[in-house]
Amino acid sequence: MSQNLYEDFAGRYDLFHSGFDDHDPLELAFFRRLFAENQVRSVLDCACGTGKHLHLFHLLGCEVVGSDTSAAMLAQAEKNLSACGLDLPLHQVDYRELPQYFDRQFDAVACLSSSIHHMPNETEAANAFKSMLGVLRPGKILVLTQGTTDKQWQEKPRFIPAINQKDFTRLFVIDYLGAGARYNILDIFHSDELCDFKVWSVEYPRMYLKNDQERLLKTAGFKVVDAYGSYDFEAYDSETSRRLILVARK
């Protein structure tokens, strides 16, 4: 993964959310139940970006550690967390190299928001999962989330509206490239004082859907993989689900 991939985007990334410390109640309830059922007290978010989920996990009373390959995203995470009065440990490390960097294990590892799609091929994705397995305590869990589902991949929509607020709109314009995809992100700023736009792109060389990830997780050594289609814990359905959540157990 390129360390500079998000450098120009880090400051605008949080526009994905209504507020850094304003969390989706369903997502918050999902992690509260999941962590309670699995006695999770320590969490490594290994693709933490600007730190929003670090804040969420802290709210749940967990010991929280964040890592990412992007120095710009980590700097934004530090700024965001500091504004909330938090000083959480942040590390610049590739999630394929976690056991070489951390000399401890966690009750949960999180790899969220389609971060696994940065892996260029199945060998590297399996290496990433082995790395995540290596910093998990026995019996504990890895959590993966993404918006790209079997339904989206079959339908291949070109345009996906992501955000529409009074002064700001974000639109995904997707180029499907064989087994991968390029997400062109159009940010439009519109108000009485400002009319402007910025365009940014991220290319995923390989999109990993449910069956791909389940197979690679088991190849990496995970014993059980549960798949959900929403934060309500409903079972994943390849024809209807608009979200993919995987919980893999060491």
Side-chain angles (χ1 to χ4, degrees):
M1 290 180 291
S2 170
Q3 295 181 5
N4 298 319
L5 181 61
Y6 288 94
E7 186 168 351
D8 295 333
F9 190 56
R12 302 199 313 278
Y13 185 85
D14 291 319
L15 293 172
F16 273 116
H17 317 294
S18 57
F20 179 77
D21 57 354
D22 183 13
H23 299 288
D24 177 353
L26 289 176
E27 184 180 19
L28 184 63
F30 172 85
F31 279 107
R32 178 179 286 113
R33 173 180 160 184
L34 182 70
F35 286 0
E37 290 178 349
N38 290 279
Q39 298 182 316
V40 171
R41 298 181 179 87
S42 60
V43 186
L44 169 64
D45 185 346
C46 69
C48 69
T50 62
K52 186 172 179 66
H53 285 95
L54 298 178
H55 183 273
L56 185 151
F57 298 148
H58 175 79
L59 285 180
L60 297 177
C62 296
E63 175 201 356
V64 183
V65 177
S67 67
D68 204 286
T69 58
S70 168
M73 296 291 265
L74 289 170
Q76 186 65 38
E78 183 176 18
K79 179 180 177 181
N80 289 340
L81 293 166
S82 178
C84 296
L86 297 178
D87 181 15
L88 302 179
L90 301 172
H91 306 271
Q92 187 173 2
V93 56
D94 190 313
Y95 59 43
R96 289 168 290 188
E97 301 172 354
L98 299 174
Q100 296 95 305
Y101 189 91
F102 293 103
D103 59 357
R104 59 165 296 184
Q105 293 182 320
F106 300 86
D107 295 328
V109 173
C111 184
L112 309 177
S113 303
S114 302
S115 297
I116 196 61
H117 296 321
H118 289 295
M119 293 296 94
N121 53 56
E122 291 196 351
T123 298
E124 291 302 310
N127 288 339
F129 290 149
K130 288 177 185 177
S131 170
M132 296 170 197
L133 182 80
V135 293
L136 272 176
R137 291 192 176 99
K140 297 305 183 179
I141 57 172
L142 166 66
V143 186
L144 303 127
T145 66
Q146 63 189 55
T148 306
T149 63
D150 290 87
K151 175 180 172 62
Q152 179 190 329
W153 196 248
Q154 291 163 8
E155 296 176 352
K156 289 185 169 52
R158 171 80 166 141
F159 304 99
I160 297 180
I163 302 170
N164 187 24
Q165 301 171 350
K166 179 180 178 182
D167 299 330
F168 175 71
T169 299
R170 173 167 287 165
L171 178 68
F172 292 153
V173 183
I174 306 172
D175 300 318
Y176 295 92
L177 309 170
R182 181 189 301 113
Y183 278 67
N184 306 290
I185 302 166
L186 174 61
D187 287 346
I188 306 171
F189 303 88
H190 44 83
S191 67
D192 293 339
E193 296 78 24
L194 177 66
C195 183
D196 196 7
F197 70 91
K198 294 181 180 295
V199 179
W200 182 83
S201 297
V202 58
E203 187 166 327
Y204 297 117
R206 174 76 161 81
M207 305 299 286
Y208 301 94
L209 301 178
K210 172 183 174 288
N211 290 343
D212 302 319
Q213 293 188 52
E214 284 184 333
R215 173 170 46 82
L216 293 170
L217 285 162
K218 290 179 180 178
T219 297
F222 284 92
K223 297 176 182 178
V224 178
V225 182
D226 295 320
Y228 305 105
S230 75
Y231 290 126
D232 290 327
F233 286 90
E234 67 180 8
Y236 180 83
D237 187 310
S238 61
E239 295 184 0
T240 62
S241 292
R242 297 182 179 275
R243 185 186 304 276
L244 173 60
I245 304 166
L246 293 172
V247 179
R249 189 176 308 278
K250 181 172 180 179

